[in-house]
Amino acid sequence: MSTLYFPAEWERQRMMQLTWPHAGTDWAYCLDEITDTFTALAEAITRYEPLLIVTPDAVSTLHTLGQRLTTDALQRVTFCECPTNDTWARDHGALTLLATDGDRNGMRLLDFRFNGWGEKFPSSLDNAINRHLSASGILDAPLENHDDFVLEGGSVESDGKGTVLTTSQCLLAPHRNQPLTLCDIEAELKRRLHASRIIWLDHGNLTGDDTDGHIDTIVRFAPGDTLLYVTCTAPADEQYADFQALEEQLQGLRTSNGEKYRLLPLPMPAPLYEDGQRLPATYANFVVVNGAVIVPTYGQPALDQEAADTIGKAFPDRDIVMLDARQVVRQHGSLHCLTMQLY
């Protein structure tokens, strides 16, 4: 009898989901610019795998894509039309559990409650997207209702072997799952994600991050028991001590077999600001697709290239595609935050 597991992101994907920006989102003030970025991201994804786009207006979105994507690329795009609050598919998208024996009839999709990162932002429409997708028949596996538990996809990272990384600052933040304790939440994660162990990180919260410290902004799994992680090497930076503590914690971690992780440090981008507020730019927010990794860049050629080269070491068998994420970070996220893979 097969068992279920929470896959690593580099396992074979069926398609990637984007939730498209529109005038009713927080992108209204820079809608043309962010639409250009979404279109570039769609173009990059469709080179490697099919794309699912959730949008309130499929005709308008298709028209936008048709100005840039080839006919072949457009044929790889599926639309689901439904109302949305915003665009962060990583956090409102369904999480997949696969069967260990590869039987697709055994896979499950988990629909956790998305409440706007602790009730900070409107979220009721986005919290309903997975049900729209299931009703449309686009999701080819049963959708399990986990609306009694708040969990964003960006807050958990899996190695595909039973270990899940997360951060205490996010999952213990207000308006998530109180009054559950860390031990309670760990038990729920193990049960719901079929994980054998949870690693809690306690440091590395980026200035300007309004998710309360998602793991996908600071540390990511890669094949071969590798961890890619953000570093801060400038003592004058306000984040220096916290990221030094993160590195020390990572150095003390061990795999399920008791071995040290292979640690690959990523640079921290030079500070970017919007209206005087520092933005949470990070190279850890890369997107893994079939045959490639899409790496966010921030108009800083030397650091952008260093990050791309380091990520390339972790994924030597994949193309490295660099994509400008400066528009995305204006709303305090990056490329991985915009995407959710379906297996």
Side-chain angles (χ1 to χ4, degrees), residues 173-186:
H175 308 293
R176 296 300 211 288
N177 290 300
Q178 285 77 20
L180 298 185
T181 66
L182 183 148
C183 290
D184 295 333
I185 293 172
E186 178 164 322

Side-chain angles (χ1 to χ4, degrees), residues 68-117:
R68 179 157 177 175
L69 270 63
T70 66
T71 300
D72 286 346
L74 284 173
Q75 290 177 347
R76 306 185 85 184
V77 180
T78 299
F79 293 94
C80 179
E81 192 168 84
C82 70
T84 63
N85 296 110
D86 213 326
T87 56
W88 307 104
R90 179 60 46 181
D91 295 336
H92 60 245
L95 297 181
T96 304
L97 297 181
L98 295 179
T100 54
D101 63 1
D103 181 7
R104 290 194 62 82
N105 291 324
M107 68 184 289
R108 295 290 182 271
L109 296 171
L110 310 183
D111 186 20
F112 290 97
R113 179 153 55 97
F114 174 64
N115 73 345
W117 309 279

Side-chain angles (χ1 to χ4, degrees), residues 147-339:
D147 197 55
D148 61 328
F149 193 78
V150 175
L151 188 71
E152 301 116 31
S155 70
V156 286
E157 178 80 5
S158 175
D159 68 351
K161 299 186 293 184
T163 297
V164 171
L165 274 175
T166 192
T167 65
S168 55
Q169 58 263 38
C170 177
L171 292 197
L172 297 178
H175 308 293
R176 296 300 211 288
N177 290 300
Q178 285 77 20
L180 298 185
T181 66
L182 183 148
C183 290
D184 295 333
I185 293 172
E186 178 164 322
E188 291 297 326
L189 291 176
K190 286 181 176 178
R191 179 174 70 85
R192 296 172 192 256
L193 299 179
H194 291 244
S196 57
R197 66 180 191 142
I198 310 296
I199 295 178
W200 294 84
L201 298 180
D202 305 307
H203 305 281
N205 196 356
L206 292 166
T207 300
D209 172 31
D210 50 19
T211 69
D212 300 306
H214 274 182
I215 189 67
D216 71 343
T217 65
I218 57 169
V219 182
R220 301 288 301 282
F221 275 124
D225 292 328
T226 297
L227 293 175
L228 288 150
Y229 68 101
V230 174
T231 58
C232 183
T233 58
D237 193 306
E238 61 187 309
Q239 303 174 120
Y240 178 75
D242 192 31
F243 277 86
Q244 290 292 302
L246 172 66
E247 187 169 45
E248 291 177 10
Q249 188 172 10
L250 295 176
Q251 290 169 346
L253 296 182
R254 296 295 181 268
T255 69
S256 57
N257 293 325
E259 304 293 328
K260 291 183 178 181
Y261 282 97
R262 177 195 182 202
L263 299 180
L264 293 180
L266 294 168
M268 181 172 288
L272 298 173
Y273 296 90
E274 174 100 341
D275 297 329
Q277 182 181 15
R278 186 167 178 173
L279 300 173
T282 169
Y283 294 112
N285 210 248
F286 55 82
V287 180
V288 181
V289 294
N290 296 333
V293 181
I294 305 171
V295 177
T297 63
Y298 300 99
Q300 302 170 24
L303 291 174
D304 292 346
Q305 191 61 56
E306 179 185 346
D309 291 345
T310 300
I311 293 169
K313 293 176 183 176
F315 295 92
D317 57 342
R318 296 178 188 244
D319 297 338
I320 300 298
V321 179
M322 301 168 71
L323 197 149
D324 191 337
R326 283 177 288 180
Q327 293 299 327
V328 187
V329 80
R330 295 176 71 183
Q331 281 294 310
H332 306 269
S334 198
L335 302 183
H336 189 254
C337 302
L338 297 177
T339 63

